[in-house]
Amino acid sequence: MGLDITFSIDWAAANPFRSLILVPSADGGTSLGSGTWQKAGERYEDAVSRANAAMASVPGATFAGFLWHQGEADTNNQNYQSQLDQMIADFRSDVTGAANAPFILGGFSDDYVGSSSGRIAMRDIVLDTPNRVPDTAVANASDLTVFDGVHFDAPSLRTLGTRYFAAFASIAITAPSAVGAIPDQTDVLALAPPVAVGSIPDQTDLASLAPPAAVGAIPDQMDVAA
C-alpha cells in the first residue's frame, strides 16, 4: 500500500518496454533541521550511496528522478526552506546522472495541517518549491486522510502514489530527447519520461518501428536526422 507501489504501476503502464529500479532510503521521524538529511548527514549519505550503487550496477542506466515525502519533524524549523532547497541541489550534484532530474515532493493533508501556524508555513514552503527550484513538482495531498493525525491511511497512500506519477509526468514528459538517440531501457529511481503505451517500439523488433514523429515529439528510433 505504499505510494511507491501505485507510482510503479502507473509508470509501468506508460513505459511497457522499460525496466524500473526503485532505490528506497527512508527513516521515520527524521528531519532536515537535525542535519541527517543534509550533505554529510547520515540519511543523506545513505541515500546518495544507495542511488549511486544502483547506477553502477546497471551500466548505461538513466537516473530519472527523486520521490520525496517528509515534513512533520520540521514543523518549527525556521530554516526549512533554505535547507530543503539546498538538499535538492546537493542530491542532484552528488547522485550519478541526476543533475537535471525531476524532484517530486509530497504535500500534506488538510487534516494534518489544521490551524497550526508551523504546519501551515511548512506546507506553503513545499507547495511553493516549483516556483523556487527548477524541475520540481508537488503531489497534492490536501484532500487525503490521515488515520492517526499524522500518517496517511492505505487508500490515501495509493492515491498519493498516482499523484506522484502525475506530478513526475508533468515534468518528465517535456524533457527533450537527444536527436536520433535510442532511449536507455533501464531507469533508476523515479524513472523515465512517460509516454503513451506502445509509442516507443521494442528496440529489438525492427518491424515495430514507427514512422518519424512530428517536430518536438519522440523521434523515430532509426531516423538519426529526426
Side-chain angles (χ1 to χ4, degrees):
M1 63 182 171
L3 61 89
D4 56 321
I5 301 300
T6 45
F7 179 96
S8 299
I9 291 170
D10 292 349
W11 183 92
N15 297 272
F17 301 111
R18 300 177 77 93
S19 299
L20 169 64
I21 297 173
L22 291 175
V23 181
S25 183
D27 191 1
T30 55
S31 66
L32 292 178
S34 69
T36 191
W37 285 103
Q38 296 177 47
K39 193 177 181 71
E42 180 180 4
R43 301 307 330 147
Y44 176 90
E45 296 300 331
D46 176 74
V48 170
S49 176
R50 288 169 181 252
N52 286 338
M55 291 296 290
S57 72
V58 187
T62 297
F63 186 90
F66 300 89
L67 307 180
W68 172 259
H69 203 287
Q70 177 268 345
E72 62 268 15
D74 275 303
T75 298
N76 297 310
N77 180 1
Q78 300 301 309
N79 299 311
Y80 185 70
Q81 178 174 309
S82 62
Q83 291 173 351
L84 176 63
D85 294 357
Q86 186 62 55
M87 182 197 68
I88 295 172
D90 288 340
F91 269 137
R92 285 173 167 169
S93 176
D94 291 343
V95 172
T96 302
N100 299 305
F103 196 103
I104 313 304
L105 304 94
F108 302 104
S109 167
D110 287 345
D111 290 342
Y112 165 73
V113 173
S115 60
S116 165
S117 59
R119 293 179 179 181
I120 291 171
M122 184 176 58
R123 176 202 62 192
D124 291 347
I125 288 170
V126 169
L127 292 176
D128 186 59
T129 302
N131 296 321
R132 304 187 313 270
V133 183
D135 297 319
T136 61
V138 178
N140 175 51
S142 62
D143 60 336
L144 300 182
T145 303
V146 292
F147 69 89
D148 61 355
V150 176
H151 300 97
F152 295 113
D153 59 20
S156 293
L157 281 174
R158 297 186 183 103
T159 298
L160 189 57
T162 289
R163 293 178 181 177
Y164 264 88
F165 180 77
F168 171 80
S170 72
I171 300 176
I173 202 168
T174 63
S177 297
V179 173
I182 296 177
D184 169 37
Q185 300 305 296
T186 300
D187 302 302
V188 176
L189 226 64
L191 337 166
V195 293
V197 172
S199 63
I200 296 181
D202 179 355
Q203 303 302 314
T204 62
D205 182 4
L206 297 182
S208 70
L209 292 172
V215 174
I218 295 176
D220 171 57
Q221 304 304 312
M222 294 298 290
D223 185 0
V224 176

